[in-house]
Amino acid sequence: MTTGRNNTLIHLIATLLTHLLLTLATPARAQSIGTPFPSNFRNTQTNKIEGEIHMSKFFLKIKQGKTVKVMQIGDSHVRGNIYPNTTGKTLKNFFPHLEYTHYGINGAWAKRFYEQDMIARVAAQKPDLVIISFGTNEAHGSAINESVHSQSMLTLTDRIREKCPGVEFLFTTPPGSFISRRTTVRSRGRRRTYTTSRTPNANTGRVARSIVKFCQSHKMAVWDIYTIGGGDKSACTNWLNSGLMNTDAIHFLASGYALQGKMLGEAIHKAYTETAVSGSQTRMMHEPTPREQQPYKSVQGF
């Protein structure tokens, strides 16, 4: 009789433990299925944040039910509104107490935002998380100088951190772009016929890797959409061949920006569900600012 009762008790405990484990596992498993790329995208990677542990203070405030403030800064991709607005909307669906703002400048490099007027603009929002989205203009400038690029990002984050103690950062890499060249096909008198050829901008990959390396070295999170979207082999052509890029092959159509924004929001939420939340702080090294890298003068900002 005693043995039977013990078996029943053991079975009941096992059932309850199994139910508990399934309940805890379901949210993380559900988030592994997110918005997919178009079917013709090649060489894509899992949509995720790298170094998400460095967003732990931000995640902790969310877990505690506190209001969190996110600000995204960047170039014309952010200035165009669709990309950041979609990111904000996606995050608000996951986190009701989240506030999202953004500010972008056409043609901006990261170094534009460490000027005092931009630092003051960011500080005024009192953000818990700053999403930093640059790289397209750097990739269309002169050959990337990794040490100068890294110092530019460090100066930016140091100056924001000085005005916003406790803030955390999430960098994003440029998704990919093309270099366009116009050549004369035929010339008759004053009439000329032109043709435009486009080649993937190989510098985009170098800039993306520079951003990822910087984040790894300085313990910051990064969303590497360049690698996620196909990397050196396919990132640029994937966006173009799927009809998601603008005719300049640098900017994106509304559908392209909406896809990027939704995937970024989902990646942040996935990082939240998979990160062990803690209140640890990240220390950064402070070094003197070297000579700034200059953009290639004949290329207009994007």
Side-chain angles (χ1 to χ4, degrees):
M1 188 75 172
T2 303
T3 302
R5 288 179 179 177
N6 287 341
N7 289 340
T8 301
L9 181 61
I10 292 172
H11 177 73
L12 177 61
I13 293 173
T15 301
L16 290 173
L17 286 174
T18 301
H19 178 72
L20 178 61
L21 289 172
L22 287 173
T23 301
L24 292 174
T26 298
R29 186 171 65 251
Q31 285 308 310
S32 67
I33 303 174
T35 301
F37 284 114
S39 59
N40 61 342
F41 265 56
R42 298 290 179 263
N43 300 304
T44 59
Q45 304 295 320
T46 302
N47 181 30
K48 65 178 182 179
I49 304 293
E50 297 178 33
E52 66 275 11
I53 191 64
H54 306 303
M55 299 169 65
S56 59
K57 289 183 293 184
F58 170 69
F59 289 151
L60 179 59
K61 290 189 71 172
I62 292 176
K63 185 177 181 180
Q64 293 172 338
K66 297 179 180 179
T67 298
V68 292
K69 297 182 178 182
V70 180
M71 184 174 190
Q72 185 174 11
I73 58 176
D75 49 31
S76 58
H77 297 313
V78 176
R79 177 68 178 83
N81 298 323
I82 297 174
Y83 170 35
N85 283 345
T86 306
T87 303
K89 181 179 179 181
T90 302
L91 286 174
K92 288 177 183 178
N93 287 337
F94 291 130
F95 310 123
H97 300 294
L98 183 142
E99 298 178 4
Y100 200 95
T101 58
H102 68 275
Y103 188 75
I105 298 178
N106 292 343
W109 292 33
K111 66 179 185 178
R112 172 63 184 93
F113 271 75
Y114 65 58
E115 299 299 331
Q116 291 305 316
D117 59 330
M118 292 296 104
I119 297 299
R121 181 182 287 271
V122 173
Q125 299 298 323
K126 299 180 179 179
D128 299 288
L129 176 70
V130 176
I131 301 177
I132 301 176
S133 301
F134 297 99
T136 294
N137 291 293
E138 285 88 337
H140 280 265
S142 55
I144 185 72
N145 182 320
E146 189 174 308
S147 63
V148 175
H149 186 218
S150 177
Q151 185 62 50
S152 179
M153 292 184 284
L154 181 58
T155 301
L156 173 61
T157 51
D158 275 352
R159 291 184 180 180
I160 293 176
R161 194 188 300 274
E162 182 181 354
K163 297 294 183 180
C164 306
V167 70
E168 292 179 312
F169 301 98
L170 170 61
F171 278 80
T172 70
T173 62
S177 62
F178 286 76
I179 295 176
S180 298
R181 292 182 175 86
R182 196 171 83 155
T183 57
T184 302
V185 175
R186 180 179 59 188
S187 177
R188 289 184 178 179
R190 294 184 179 180
R191 296 189 62 182
R192 293 182 179 180
T193 303
Y194 298 94
T195 183
T196 301
S197 62
R198 294 190 177 95
T199 55
N201 185 358
N203 223 19
T204 306
R206 299 184 187 102
V207 171
R209 285 185 287 276
S210 176
I211 293 172
V212 171
K213 183 178 179 180
F214 169 82
C215 291
Q216 292 171 343
S217 298
H218 293 87
K219 295 182 172 56
M220 298 182 194
V222 59
W223 184 56
D224 186 8
I225 183 58
Y226 179 76
T227 298
I228 293 169
D232 288 338
K233 291 183 178 179
S234 307
C236 299
T237 53
N238 278 342
W239 294 103
L240 184 67
N241 294 342
S242 297
L244 297 173
M245 293 194 93
N246 205 333
T247 54
D248 62 7
I250 296 171
H251 297 92
F252 296 83
L253 299 177
S255 53
Y257 282 127
L259 176 59
Q260 293 171 25
K262 191 169 185 181
M263 292 185 72
L264 174 55
E266 290 175 349
I268 293 172
H269 183 227
K270 181 180 179 182
Y272 169 76
T273 64
E274 295 181 351
T275 299
V277 177
S278 68
S280 60
Q281 283 191 316
T282 300
R283 293 183 60 87
M284 296 186 60
M285 297 180 65
H286 298 264
E287 299 178 0
T289 304
R291 179 179 61 85
E292 291 301 331
Q293 180 183 1
Q294 297 300 317
Y296 188 57
K297 294 182 179 179
S298 67
V299 179
Q300 295 181 351
F302 306 112

